């Protein structure tokens, strides 16, 4: 399986200006993630990279 490279600009064009503005508004109003939540998200992306055959990268400091 090959995945396309993600493009934020292409995604914003696809969603449209109103949807992007609403997403940004909701993200701004959302409470911050707890440390446990951040670690769970990092683990999901790390496992996806391994499955895709990409090398593991060290986690960035929060």
């Amino acid at each position: 399986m090959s995945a396309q490279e993600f493009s934020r600009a292409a995604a914003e064009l696809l969603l449209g200006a109103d949807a992007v503005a609403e997403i940004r508004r909701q993200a701004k109003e959302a409470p911050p993630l707890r440390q446990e939540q951040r670690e769970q998200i990092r683990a999901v992306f790390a496992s996806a990279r391994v499955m895709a055959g990409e090398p593991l990268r060290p986690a960035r400091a929060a």
Side-chain angles (χ1 to χ4, degrees):
M1 176 166 93
S2 65
Q4 290 182 335
E5 189 70 26
F6 176 76
S7 165
R8 182 176 294 197
E12 289 179 4
L13 283 173
L14 181 65
L15 293 170
D18 290 342
V20 171
E22 177 63 13
I23 291 165
R24 287 187 176 138
R25 184 193 66 75
Q26 288 183 19
K28 186 176 181 179
E29 292 177 1
L33 295 173
R34 296 185 318 268
Q35 181 65 29
E36 177 184 339
Q37 292 170 312
R38 286 193 300 269
E39 291 302 321
Q40 289 173 338
I41 292 168
R42 284 186 186 118
V44 167
F45 280 93
S47 66
R49 284 188 205 102
V50 170
M51 292 178 70
E54 293 182 28
L56 288 176
R57 291 179 274 180
R60 293 186 310 196

